[in-house]
């Protein structure tokens, strides 16, 4: 158990014990008895089929649980914890392609935090799920990624959120994950033993995060995220979105990435992106474009969901590679309890073998009545890699059955 995690548990214990001695003990008891339990029972089936004899088809069926508890607030203080468990029920994967994503059994305490709120200021420290442009854990697999960190946020400035924090550890999906494409580094000292992901040290000394979000101009939202992965790379992310309103709700958006590496042998780089969209008869339509500078790769942050690119698709990390231009068009619509989305994404890379076209179809059905907490989703993606003799195809199916309580 890491020292920082021990400190977070000690802090939680001291808060509770001090409250029970100095403050009204029955109020502390009420904070726990009025706490809320939330959970998910999950069953996932993934299948990959290749058209190449050198690549191996595979499939995996895994089941798991996510169980969380959060106390009620007492004097502005609340505690929270989330447990995740997974079991691989059946697998056919001779080439071990699912080792980094789904093929792992076991359990992990993904959240264990202290939260304190005073007026418009909030502190949250310990293990926690984070969703920021450059620090974002993915929940697309059975085990959701998490981080260990400490954040202080404030909303005193009207229509503005300011967050300052530090992250020190990163919990992966499985323990086979040792690196991520064009992302910040971390150390996994117990790799590929078939367990779920544990908390791994980030870089040399973690990362400092500064995030700002502003909505002071009507219809305009601007967010900026700066993260210094100490002794590795400093990343800057900015985006702005303007909603015009009206019947068709049109909008335009722009984004900018910049990566400044500490190692002079690695070239700095940047990415720009643009997006337009509107709604017609309930159909949400968008078109987007991103382009990465020819000089070097952009570091997209940390966490498999740290892919804020406007052309984000099922496979996105290649968009951040030097000299890659990516286009995307998509449409989505709700039909009662059924949601549907179709996207086409095309990446033009410097190396033609890295070119990638993706056709994505996503369907999600949310049951009603006595089964209102149950949902079923399917995602089907066709990948077309490379050109000429280096061309290959892959079809991927992801099916997820989730019951929330």
């Amino acid at each position: 158990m890491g020292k920082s995690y021990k400190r977070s548990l000690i802090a939680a214990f001291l808060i509770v014990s001090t409250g029970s001695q100095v403050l009204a003990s029955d109020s502390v008891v009420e904070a726990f008895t009025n706490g809320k339990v939330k959970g998910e029972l999950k069953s996932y089936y993934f299948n990959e089929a290749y058209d190449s004899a050198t690549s191996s088809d595979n499939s995996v069926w895994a089941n798991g649980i996510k169980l969380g508890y959060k106390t009620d607030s007492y004097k502005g203080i609340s505690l929270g914890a989330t447990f995740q468990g997974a079991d691989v029920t059946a697998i056919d994967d001779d080439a071990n392609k699912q080792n980094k994503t789904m093929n792992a059994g076991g359990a992990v305490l993904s959240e264990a935090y202290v939260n304190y709120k005073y007026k418009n200021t909030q502190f949250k420290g310990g293990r926690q799920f984070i969703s920021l442009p450059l620090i974002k854990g993915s929940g697309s697999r059975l085990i959701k990624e998490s981080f260990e960190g400490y954040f202080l946020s404030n909303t005193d400035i009207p229509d503005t959120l300011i967050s300052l924090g530090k992250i020190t550890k990163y919990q992966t999906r499985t323990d086979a994950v040792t690196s991520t494409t064009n992302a910040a580094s971390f150390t996994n000292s117990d790799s590929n033993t078939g367990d779920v992901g544990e908390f791994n040290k980030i870089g040399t000394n973690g990362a400092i995060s500064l995030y700002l979000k502003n909505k002071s101009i009507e219809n305009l939202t601007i967010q900026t995220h700066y993260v210094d992965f100490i002794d590795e790379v400093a990343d800057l992310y900015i985006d702005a979105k303007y909603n015009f309103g009206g019947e068709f709700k049109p909008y335009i958006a722009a984004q900018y990435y910049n990566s400044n590496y500490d190692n002079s042998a690695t070239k700095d780089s940047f990415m720009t992106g643009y997006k337009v969209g509107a709604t017609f008869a309930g159909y949400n339509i968008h078109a987007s474009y991103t382009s990465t500078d020819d000089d070097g790769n952009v570091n997209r942050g940390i966490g498999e969901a740290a892919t804020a690119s406007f052309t984000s698709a099922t496979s996105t990390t290649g968009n951040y590679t030097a000299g890659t231009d990516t286009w995307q068009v998509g449409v989505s619509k709700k039909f009662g309890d059924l949601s549907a989305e179709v996207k086409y994404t095309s990446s033009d890379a410097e190396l033609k073998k890295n070119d990638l076209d993706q056709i994505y179809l996503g369907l999600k059905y949310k049951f009603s009545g006595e089964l209102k907490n149950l949902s079923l989703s399917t995602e089907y993606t066709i990948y077309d890699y490379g050109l000429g003799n280096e061309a290959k195809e892959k079809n991927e199916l992801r099916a997820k059955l989730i019951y929330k309580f």
Side-chain angles (χ1 to χ4, degrees), residues 332-403:
S332 64
K333 182 177 171 58
K334 289 194 67 175
F335 303 89
D337 293 328
L338 177 67
S339 301
E341 182 179 16
V342 179
K343 288 192 296 188
Y344 172 75
T345 309
S346 179
S347 294
D348 181 10
E350 283 190 335
L351 297 177
K352 293 307 176 185
K353 69 177 182 179
N354 293 332
D355 286 356
L356 174 59
D357 292 338
Q358 301 176 68
I359 299 175
Y360 168 88
L361 171 62
L363 298 171
K364 182 176 181 179
Y365 184 79
K366 192 175 185 304
F367 292 83
S368 56
E370 294 182 356
L371 298 176
K372 65 180 180 180
N373 295 330
L374 184 67
S375 66
L376 172 64
S377 65
T378 58
E379 299 171 285
Y380 188 75
T381 306
I382 301 172
Y383 303 85
D384 185 0
Y385 297 90
L387 295 173
N389 294 331
E390 295 179 322
K392 61 180 180 179
E393 292 184 2
K394 179 179 80 168
N395 299 334
E396 180 183 41
L397 170 67
R398 301 178 182 180
K400 304 175 183 179
L401 185 67
I402 303 175
Y403 181 80

Side-chain angles (χ1 to χ4, degrees), residues 132 186 230:
L132 294 171
F186 59 92
I230 299 170

Side-chain angles (χ1 to χ4, degrees), residues 127-203:
R127 295 182 174 184
Q128 55 189 286
F129 298 129
I130 297 175
S131 182
L132 294 171
L134 297 172
I135 306 171
K136 190 172 183 180
S138 171
S140 66
R141 303 308 199 276
L142 202 63
I143 296 295
K144 183 176 181 178
E145 297 173 320
S146 184
F147 300 88
E148 187 171 306
Y150 309 87
F151 285 82
L152 187 67
S153 59
N154 180 271
T155 57
D156 278 330
I157 301 174
D159 302 309
T160 302
L161 168 66
I162 302 174
S163 170
L164 176 65
K166 181 176 182 179
I167 57 170
T168 57
K169 292 184 179 181
Y170 166 45
Q171 175 233 302
T172 55
R173 298 160 168 167
T174 78
D175 69 350
V177 182
T178 56
S179 62
T180 51
T181 306
N182 296 338
S185 67
F186 59 92
T187 302
N188 186 346
S189 58
D190 189 21
S191 175
N192 205 17
T193 62
D195 200 355
V196 299
E198 294 293 340
F199 284 80
N200 307 290
K201 179 182 176 182
I202 296 173

Side-chain angles (χ1 to χ4, degrees), residues 124-289:
K124 188 174 183 180
R127 295 182 174 184
Q128 55 189 286
F129 298 129
I130 297 175
S131 182
L132 294 171
L134 297 172
I135 306 171
K136 190 172 183 180
S138 171
S140 66
R141 303 308 199 276
L142 202 63
I143 296 295
K144 183 176 181 178
E145 297 173 320
S146 184
F147 300 88
E148 187 171 306
Y150 309 87
F151 285 82
L152 187 67
S153 59
N154 180 271
T155 57
D156 278 330
I157 301 174
D159 302 309
T160 302
L161 168 66
I162 302 174
S163 170
L164 176 65
K166 181 176 182 179
I167 57 170
T168 57
K169 292 184 179 181
Y170 166 45
Q171 175 233 302
T172 55
R173 298 160 168 167
T174 78
D175 69 350
V177 182
T178 56
S179 62
T180 51
T181 306
N182 296 338
S185 67
F186 59 92
T187 302
N188 186 346
S189 58
D190 189 21
S191 175
N192 205 17
T193 62
D195 200 355
V196 299
E198 294 293 340
F199 284 80
N200 307 290
K201 179 182 176 182
I202 296 173
T204 60
N205 195 23
I208 303 296
S209 167
L210 175 62
Y211 174 77
L212 294 91
K213 186 174 185 178
N214 180 271
K215 293 185 176 181
S216 58
I217 300 176
E218 186 177 2
N219 299 327
L220 178 65
T221 301
I222 300 173
Q223 61 176 348
T224 300
H225 194 198
Y226 173 82
V227 180
D228 183 4
F229 294 95
I230 299 170
D231 297 327
E232 183 178 0
V233 59
D235 283 343
L236 173 66
Y237 175 84
I238 303 172
D239 73 23
K241 181 180 180 182
Y242 187 82
N243 294 289
F244 290 93
E247 179 182 356
F248 302 115
K249 302 176 183 177
Y251 66 86
I252 58 173
Q255 67 180 176
Y256 174 76
Y257 278 88
N258 184 281
S259 294
N260 192 322
Y261 295 91
D262 288 22
N263 186 347
S264 59
T266 304
K267 293 184 178 180
D268 300 340
S269 189
F270 66 91
M271 172 197 278
T272 54
Y274 310 93
K275 187 175 184 179
V276 296
T279 300
F280 301 93
Y283 289 88
N284 303 307
I285 301 171
H286 81 268
S288 54
Y289 168 76

